[in-house]
Amino acid sequence: MKQYESEHYIFNYHSGSKTEEDILDIAALQEACYKHICNVLRVKLNFKIQYFLCDSPEEVGKIYGDNEPCNGFVDYPDKIYAVYNNDIKCVGFHEDAHLISYKINRPDCPAIREGLAMYFDRYWWGINNLDWTVFFIKNNRYVSLVELLDKEKFFFLDCTITYPIMGAFTDWLINSYGIDRYLSFYKKTDSISAISEIYKMTIEEIDEAFKDYLSLFKINKNIRKEMFNLLSKNGFDC
C-alpha cells in the first residue's frame, strides 16, 4: 500500500484508488477532527494513528477476521481500518473518537462508547441525532436507556435507532452536566453503577429526565418526510 503522512496520521491506501485521488482532503479532514476530539476530551497521544483506507466493506471485513462486510473499525491502540470509495466514505469523527477516547478508558457498555462517537458525528444519514431521537419518541420507536445500556443486548438492536439516540443522550449529558462530570463518568468501567455514582440518578430516572428534554422539541415537516423516506429506503416498516 502507498502511504501519506500528516502531523498526526499515517494513511495507507491502494495505488490508483479513490483514496489516492482525495488523500490531501482526507488528511485535512482527519487532522481537524483529531484536534477537536483531543481538545474536548483533553487527550494527547504520543503516537501517530495508522489509517488503512480500504476499497470495500468486504476488504475491511476480511481484515477484521469475520469476513462480514464492515465500513470501519478500530484496532487499538493505534490503527483504524475504514472504507473509502465513490459511494462509501467512512472518514470523519467516528472511528477517531473511539481510538482517542480509549486513551481515557474503554467503558464496558458499548452504548456509551458508540454514544460518544456519535456525539462527535452529530448526524446519522445527514440528519441530526436529536431530530432522529425526537422522531423515534413520537413514532413509538424509541428504545429506553435501560435497554440500550444492557451490554448484552446493544448490538442486537438496530443501529439506525440506537446510534442516534445514544449520540443525542451523550450530547444532553455533556451540555446539561458539563464535560468534567462526563469524563469522570467515562473513566468508570461499569457504566450502570457510574450513572448512580456520578449523576445521582438511577438509569430509569436519567431516562425520564432525557425524555423530558426531548419533549421540548418538534421536527420540521420536511425533515420528518425525509426521515420516513430514508427509513423506507433502508427496509424499515414505516
Side-chain angles (χ1 to χ4, degrees):
M1 299 182 87
K2 298 185 72 172
Q3 284 190 342
Y4 178 82
E5 191 165 346
S6 64
E7 184 178 0
H8 299 105
Y9 294 87
I10 300 172
F11 297 95
N12 302 269
Y13 52 91
H14 297 297
S15 179
S17 64
K18 179 63 175 172
T19 300
E20 183 174 26
E21 179 184 337
D22 296 348
I23 190 59
L24 294 180
D25 290 337
I26 294 169
L29 172 63
Q30 296 314 126
E31 287 290 348
C33 291
Y34 179 99
K35 180 179 179 181
H36 180 65
I37 295 166
C38 289
N39 283 344
V40 171
L41 299 183
R42 300 167 186 169
V43 170
K44 290 184 178 180
L45 302 184
N46 57 3
F47 57 84
K48 290 192 175 186
I49 296 173
Q50 289 269 0
Y51 234 107
F52 293 85
L53 289 157
C54 302
D55 291 342
S56 70
E58 290 75 18
E59 183 183 358
V60 174
K62 184 176 180 180
I63 294 168
Y64 185 78
D66 62 3
N67 290 312
E68 292 290 330
C70 174
N71 285 349
F73 73 92
V74 168
D75 184 7
Y76 189 77
D78 65 345
K79 296 180 179 64
I80 293 172
Y81 294 86
V83 178
Y84 193 91
N85 58 34
N86 286 316
D87 300 315
I88 302 171
K89 294 176 173 57
C90 188
V91 291
F93 284 110
H94 197 99
E95 301 302 338
D96 301 58
H98 279 314
L99 188 148
I100 294 168
S101 70
Y102 293 167
K103 182 75 173 178
I104 301 170
N105 187 33
R106 191 176 187 274
D108 66 339
C109 182
I112 299 302
R113 304 194 301 264
E114 295 300 339
L116 182 58
M118 285 299 297
Y119 162 76
F120 284 107
D121 277 342
R122 301 286 178 184
Y123 294 90
W124 179 267
W125 291 345
I127 295 174
N128 188 278
N129 291 328
L130 178 63
D131 284 335
W132 275 119
T133 307
V134 173
F135 175 89
F136 294 142
I137 281 275
K138 294 184 181 300
N139 289 276
N140 298 315
R141 294 294 189 101
Y142 179 78
V143 180
S144 74
L145 294 172
V146 176
E147 292 182 80
L148 289 172
L149 270 63
D150 184 332
K151 60 186 178 183
E152 303 301 327
K153 291 183 179 179
F154 182 76
F155 286 121
F156 290 98
L157 300 169
D158 197 299
C159 62
T160 297
I161 296 175
T162 61
Y163 278 42
I165 292 175
M166 285 308 304
F169 173 66
T170 304
D171 184 83
W172 173 74
L173 271 186
I174 291 172
N175 286 332
S176 297
Y177 300 101
I179 189 63
D180 289 329
R181 191 176 293 190
Y182 181 81
L183 291 176
S184 295
F185 167 67
Y186 197 82
K187 289 174 183 176
K188 303 291 184 180
T189 299
D190 185 342
S191 301
I192 301 296
S193 64
I195 287 175
S196 176
E197 179 183 348
I198 303 298
Y199 294 104
K200 310 303 181 186
M201 286 183 274
T202 66
I203 189 171
E204 292 83 4
E205 288 170 339
I206 207 166
D207 187 54
E208 287 301 317
F210 179 48
K211 287 191 290 185
D212 285 344
Y213 167 72
L214 296 174
S215 70
L216 301 174
F217 298 93
K218 295 181 179 180
I219 304 171
N220 177 281
K221 64 180 181 179
N222 292 327
I223 294 176
R224 185 169 64 250
K225 182 178 179 180
E226 185 179 353
M227 288 171 162
F228 277 115
N229 289 337
L230 285 167
L231 290 171
S232 180
K233 180 180 177 181
N234 286 276
F236 281 78
D237 181 10
C238 300

